[in-house]
Amino acid sequence: MSEFHDLAELALNRAGQSWGNLGYWKNASDYSDACRALATLLGEQAALDHHSIVFDAGFGCGDQLLLWLEHFGVSQISGVNLSRSQTAHARTLLAGKGQADTSAAIRRGDVNDPAIWKAALDGTKPSHVLALDCTYHFPDRLAFWGLAEQHLAPAGRLVLTDFMLDARHRTKGFRHRLLCWMLKRAHIAETNIVNEEIYRDQLVQAGYGEIIILDISEYVMPAFSAGSDRKLTWPVRCKYAVTSRFLKWAYRRSILRYCLVSATKVGGSDRRY
């Protein structure tokens, strides 16, 4: 059975790279470099260091796991990813880089499943829960935030990148209907796409404070490129050409914004999800 999240992004990368995000194109012109730049920006916002214990929700093909380990030097890492093919690729990648122990700490599963968090963390309380360019795909983002808050160490941080509705966008009319159609095609729940005011309120209700939302749209949405120099099959080229056009349209028409978000767990919690 085919997966929506598979290994298609391998064709977009340079040899030896397997990134799969929208990229941060401020100083990049190559897909692999842009993807690494977005991951680095997230790691810097999280202030990752050798004390950090990381849970990566949606680690893709594993390149970002190596970035957390090698560039930021985090002390411990675990994670969950829905895709079987990507998880298998990530395990192979980690083992090939001498990270066999880390490979054993990542799992295939649904990030909205409380049991998978318990299995992956095995009693560990992470200092950081990271979600790089994937939260909008989760079946229930609010449940994910709740599980992250439940398992984070005191004052632990949730750091992610995500789409939000532009404050100027009206949720009626042709543009919104077209947006909803595109979201459905991209396996994104409409309830995951809200404006910044609602987004902040939802984070507060989930038990977070010290919320920082940075709009990085201009370096992500209109600049995204699958790389015209790559030898891509027609289905892959078509998929990413449509993605690129949609992102440019949603940015220029003030429909969506792409943001870097960080929030801190406030106090204790007896919530259960």
Side-chain angles (χ1 to χ4, degrees), residues 16-29:
Q17 304 286 300
S18 50
W19 291 98
N21 62 61
L22 294 177
Y24 184 70
W25 299 84
K26 185 176 182 179
N27 298 306
S29 58

Side-chain angles (χ1 to χ4, degrees), residues 223-242:
F224 171 79
S225 171
S228 59
D229 58 329
R230 306 287 179 206
K231 294 181 179 180
L232 307 177
T233 63
W234 170 248
V236 173
R237 183 177 295 279
C238 182
K239 174 182 177 180
Y240 292 105
V242 170

